[in-house]
Amino acid sequence: KMAGSSTPWIGSAYLFLQSTCKTIVLPSLYESSQKKPSVFKALKLALADSTGSVNGVDMLKVHCSHPHLIVQLKFCKQENCRRFLKSYREGALQESLQNHLQLSLAVTTVPLEMELKAGNEHLDNMLKDEDRCLECIYREKPDRLRDEEITQLEECLKSLIIHQSINNNMAVKDCTSLNSPSLPYPSQGSSLSPQVTFIFQGQVFANRTLTPDDHQKFAKLVSKKWKQVGRSLQKNCRALRDPVIDNLALEYDREGLYEQAYQLLLRFIQSEGKKATIARLIAALEENGLISLAEELLGLHSNEDCS
């Protein structure tokens, strides 16, 4: 039965999330180093709304299982769990998460489907019986400590909030350093603010400006997909807006793919200056499925114990 006053009330549940919009795939967004902090921020804020407290429910891990994003939740107080269940049952959690995702990802709408499970129990089938739901959640003790990546993202979010309170006139979407409240580089158009670190395949990497070595590796290995990478980069780079990419393809057609890709990245570097960072290039490569090239640029191929 339920825990008495002597034992802390602890339970666990899994929240399954799926976007019903074909162009918004939550697991893919979460797997992108560029978008992950935005998705995490939306999750964190929506869960805080549901319990009335930032610490009302703890995220232990976020699993990407296409088409679902699965969030493992831990509750430490029965009243917080009750508030969460009420918010979930009445659709307030769904509405809150849709709104936060819309703001974080800067999209028009994010229609969601949700499902709540505790062990083998589908709680959606018993939401009217709150005590039974609480029993199921209480029976499921968390089987893990909080994932290191979640801790990293929490720190990133705190840093973001502090940065936004200092620069509340700027739309900051990236994890920005606590040590540099005044940005080291002037804002250029809609370019992203410089990140200090970024996450790729669950690992944290220091961000840096692209080097001549990066430039050559990219041109050599990207092959036919250079245009697709260019279109991913153009979202935050005015110098690559249409018809620049098509013009580069025609202008350097005789020289071949290496030169076309080299000239593309050269335009990006010349226009963005110090904001032409490895994080932005890795995000564009991830978006186009060029994981092997991203690993090459980050030096992971020479270190086989990296996943």
Side-chain angles (χ1 to χ4, degrees):
K1 285 286 176 183
M2 294 281 188
S5 56
S6 58
T7 330
W9 195 97
I10 292 175
S12 179
Y14 285 91
L15 182 63
F16 287 71
L17 305 168
Q18 180 182 356
S19 166
T20 54
C21 173
K22 285 182 181 177
T23 57
I24 297 170
V25 185
L26 291 177
S28 298
L29 288 170
Y30 196 79
E31 284 167 342
S32 155
S33 57
Q34 197 177 23
K35 300 291 184 187
K36 184 175 294 203
S38 301
V39 178
F40 179 81
K41 178 184 175 185
L43 287 169
K44 184 77 180 169
L45 294 176
L47 289 169
D49 290 347
S50 75
T51 58
S53 162
V54 177
N55 303 314
V57 54
D58 198 12
M59 277 189 273
L60 296 183
K61 186 172 176 66
V62 178
H63 305 264
C64 294
S65 177
H66 291 262
H68 291 102
L69 198 65
I70 308 167
V71 188
Q72 186 175 4
L73 303 173
K74 176 186 174 185
F75 299 92
C76 289
K77 287 185 180 174
Q78 191 183 135
E79 56 266 37
N80 287 338
C81 195
R82 281 191 189 277
R83 286 194 202 104
F84 170 84
L85 285 168
K86 182 174 187 285
S87 175
Y88 182 85
R89 184 173 65 242
E90 293 175 354
L93 174 62
Q94 183 171 354
E95 190 179 339
S96 172
L97 184 51
Q98 285 176 169
N99 291 338
H100 284 303
L101 283 167
Q102 194 177 325
L103 288 168
S104 277
L105 298 170
V107 290
T108 49
T109 180
V110 186
L112 288 177
E113 281 182 358
M114 290 183 152
E115 203 178 341
L116 191 62
K117 293 181 184 178
N120 296 321
E121 300 287 352
H122 289 249
L123 302 186
D124 298 75
N125 301 332
M126 57 178 90
L127 286 173
K128 289 179 182 174
D129 189 345
E130 192 174 275
D131 285 338
R132 192 176 161 207
C133 287
L134 283 166
E135 280 281 3
C136 294
I137 291 170
Y138 175 67
R139 271 203 309 269
E140 292 299 316
K141 297 301 178 217
D143 59 356
R144 61 163 66 242
L145 296 172
R146 188 203 286 193
D147 205 63
E148 278 181 25
E149 183 182 71
I150 299 288
T151 306
Q152 167 73 22
L153 287 163
E154 293 261 9
E155 290 305 311
C156 179
L157 184 56
K158 283 179 196 167
S159 154
L160 245 183
I161 291 163
I162 289 169
H163 183 81
Q164 282 176 324
S165 68
I166 296 164
N167 297 281
N168 56 9
N169 61 327
M170 293 183 66
V172 181
K173 291 180 187 169
D174 286 305
C175 179
T176 311
S177 168
L178 279 167
N179 303 325
S180 55
S182 57
L183 289 174
Y185 318 122
S187 176
Q188 294 181 6
S190 60
S191 295
L192 299 174
S193 306
Q195 293 166 271
V196 173
T197 60
F198 65 100
I199 296 168
F200 175 73
Q201 294 187 341
Q203 293 185 66
V204 181
F205 291 90
N207 199 8
R208 56 177 173 77
T209 307
L210 291 170
T211 66
D213 190 46
D214 297 327
H215 196 163
Q216 290 194 348
K217 278 184 182 172
F218 170 80
K220 186 179 170 186
L221 299 171
V222 70
S223 192
K224 292 177 182 175
K225 284 200 171 181
W226 71 270
K227 272 190 178 184
Q228 287 162 256
V229 176
R231 294 206 167 92
S232 294
L233 289 171
Q234 81 177 183
K235 294 171 194 169
N236 297 298
C237 176
R238 285 184 175 178
L240 295 180
R241 298 278 158 89
D242 291 333
V244 172
I245 294 169
D246 289 331
N247 289 347
L248 284 173
L250 289 171
E251 194 177 340
Y252 295 96
D253 182 44
R254 285 187 180 180
E255 284 87 345
L257 293 172
Y258 175 91
E259 193 59 33
Q260 289 168 328
Y262 188 89
Q263 292 297 327
L264 170 87
L265 205 57
L266 183 62
R267 297 284 157 91
F268 178 67
I269 291 166
Q270 286 174 338
S271 113
E272 298 294 295
K274 289 182 179 178
K275 292 209 272 189
T277 61
I278 191 73
R280 290 172 71 181
L281 182 56
I282 294 297
L285 293 173
E286 271 195 291
E287 200 172 296
N288 292 289
L290 294 164
I291 303 303
S292 183
L293 175 49
E295 290 172 344
E296 185 70 42
L297 291 175
L298 293 172
L300 291 180
H301 281 171
S302 58
N303 189 359
E304 289 304 321
D305 60 354
C306 290
S307 54

